[in-house]
Amino acid sequence: MPTIDQRSRRRFLATFGTCVGGALAGCVGSSNPSSNNSSASSNVQSDWPTVGHDQANSRYSPTGTAPIEKPTITWRLPIETPVRQPVFANDRVYMADRTVLRVHDVATGDELWTYSSATSDAQMITAPTVRDGVVYLGITNGPQSIVALDAETGEQLWTFGGKEIGGVSGTPTLDTSGNRLYLGTKAAQIFALDAKTGESHWQQDVFGPVTNTLAVRSPFIIATTRSGEVYSFGEDGKGLWRTKLPEGCDSPPALSNRWVFVGCNNEYVYGLHPVSGRIKWETYVDRLYQGGFVATTSTVYVTSSRGVVALGGRKGSTQWSTKLGDFVSCAPTIIDETLYVGGPRIFALASSGGVGISSVRFGTKRWTADVGRHVGPGMAVGNGRIFAPVQADDGTFELIALKQYN
């Protein structure tokens, strides 16, 4: 009997469409990674409503606000070991800790409501997506694969899937309109759901478990698998292209208007053409951290175990790099012209890298904040605030909130 992966490969090869490159060549979206959110609420540029900030997983907000001088800790709360970063929207911050989703007031840290599955085996190992008063949360090992909750009360609105389609360990991704919800499952399937009802519009089988959030920039939906496959689908579910990488992908794809950026377990970052899927460049980054990348028009910012590396140009060459310590396991973020990243402390860096050659830089660091032993796996930044999971000096974990006071 064929395995799930074998069946998935056969089904996909049998139904995968061809890329209509000429029709799509000029339709990769705006050069601003955050502009696809223009139809969402007015706070979406300043909020951080999904794990990658926006549908494209860009982790980039050119018009957001964030501390440009060293901020002050406004509150801190104990949490379990963090698997994903927090998100925040409409004055609420959301933090999942495997078994419980906790929702707190942005200003005070007061707990507003919690959500846990009806079964003890269920886990929430992903950040939610929040939009238009609804929280979308992926679940693994539970009676549902995804739940939609009322953002005000935590009331369950609808559920989808279950063990028969596999768990969802990547943050669900909304399209620009907020009407379509995309997600991948560990059972090697991609689904497009109605965001209001949870009804399935289409599904596609892929080769290998999908363990990360999808990237969406009209007209493309990009998914990566642990088998090292990168897929592009149209909004109608038709396959556009498929590219095989040397090893599995544990990083969420990130989209700009020129590139699809993907990290691989061989510690290479790949730049793929968004229309054809062809690999245009590949660059090795020692001990690449795959939790998420910053994608601007032509540059991708990644973290290694010791610092930040900016790659760009037609060949993905290193534009600049800087060392930050011996253990940097945190996805970077850029707000306006400042890059924020965790590690042994919180770092605020000039996104230009300052002045210098390669890793010899001057004027790179804007400020640092010692808040514990380690900051990560990612931070939510915006509205003049930073929300970060931190391992304290005694080994316990906290969610901290920081704000700059002028």
Side-chain angles (χ1 to χ4, degrees), residues 224-229 244-251 262-268 270 290:
T224 59
T225 77
R226 299 206 76 177
S227 297
E229 307 280 350
K244 172 66 176 172
L245 298 182
E247 293 189 25
C249 301
D250 282 323
S251 70
V262 179
C264 196
N265 291 344
N266 61 359
E267 299 185 334
Y268 276 80
Y270 293 85
Q290 294 193 57

Side-chain angles (χ1 to χ4, degrees), residues 73 76 344-346 369-373 375 390-391 398 400 402:
I73 296 177
R76 57 201 318 156
R345 55 185 61 87
I346 297 177
D370 292 307
V371 294
R373 183 186 299 177
V375 180
V390 175
Q391 185 177 26
E398 298 176 313
I400 66 170
L402 303 96

Side-chain angles (χ1 to χ4, degrees), residues 100-397:
V100 181
L101 173 67
R102 303 183 189 278
V103 184
H104 302 275
D105 182 271
V106 162
T108 65
D110 292 343
E111 188 173 275
L112 302 176
W113 55 265
T114 65
Y115 172 82
S116 58
S117 177
T119 62
S120 59
D121 292 337
Q123 292 188 324
M124 289 160 274
I125 55 176
T126 181
T129 286
V130 185
R131 180 164 169 179
D132 297 333
V134 182
V135 181
Y136 303 94
L137 179 66
I139 296 177
T140 61
N141 301 326
Q144 308 93 16
S145 298
I146 185 171
V147 295
L149 309 170
D150 185 287
E152 184 70 23
T153 64
E155 177 186 0
Q156 184 172 288
L157 303 177
W158 55 258
T159 67
F160 174 78
K163 293 185 178 180
E164 70 278 5
I165 70 164
V168 174
S169 58
T171 298
T173 305
L174 285 163
D175 68 358
T176 305
S177 68
N179 294 325
R180 194 68 62 88
L181 187 71
Y182 299 100
L183 55 103
T185 75
K186 290 186 174 182
Q189 292 177 312
I190 305 294
F191 288 89
L193 308 182
D194 186 295
K196 302 296 189 295
T197 66
E199 178 186 359
S200 177
H201 286 285
W202 56 260
Q203 72 177 77
Q204 278 275 17
D205 294 332
V206 294
F207 182 62
V210 182
T211 57
N212 263 302
T213 183
L214 280 57
V216 177
R217 179 187 288 278
S218 182
F220 304 115
I221 295 96
I222 307 295
T224 59
T225 77
R226 299 206 76 177
S227 297
E229 307 280 350
V230 186
Y231 291 88
S232 176
F233 297 97
E235 293 165 319
D236 58 359
K238 291 183 179 179
L240 301 178
W241 52 259
R242 171 185 181 183
T243 299
K244 172 66 176 172
L245 298 182
E247 293 189 25
C249 301
D250 282 323
S251 70
L255 274 165
S256 75
N257 69 319
R258 296 181 182 178
W259 299 101
V260 177
F261 298 111
V262 179
C264 196
N265 291 344
N266 61 359
E267 299 185 334
Y268 276 80
V269 179
Y270 293 85
L272 281 65
H273 193 283
V275 175
S276 68
R278 290 194 301 270
I279 297 174
K280 307 297 287 187
W281 56 259
E282 56 187 75
T283 301
Y284 176 76
V285 177
D286 185 38
R287 299 182 184 179
L288 174 69
Y289 179 69
Q290 294 193 57
F293 308 149
V294 175
T296 64
T297 299
S298 57
T299 304
V300 58
Y301 301 80
V302 305
T303 50
S304 68
S305 65
R306 293 181 174 86
V308 174
V309 182
L311 308 173
R314 294 184 177 181
K315 297 183 179 180
S317 56
T318 299
Q319 296 182 337
W320 61 268
S321 64
T322 187
K323 294 181 179 179
L324 302 176
D326 294 330
F327 184 55
V328 181
S329 294
C330 185
T333 293
I334 292 182
I335 307 294
D336 193 8
E337 297 180 350
T338 301
L339 185 150
Y340 300 88
V341 68
R345 55 185 61 87
I346 297 177
F347 298 89
L349 313 175
S351 61
S352 64
V355 179
I357 300 175
S358 187
S359 62
V360 181
R361 318 296 301 178
F362 300 94
T364 303
K365 293 180 182 177
R366 292 187 168 163
W367 54 262
T368 64
D370 292 307
V371 294
R373 183 186 299 177
H374 184 267
V375 180
M379 300 183 293
V381 186
N383 278 341
R385 301 176 186 269
I386 298 174
F387 300 95
V390 175
Q391 185 177 26
D393 292 333
D394 62 3
T396 60
F397 293 90

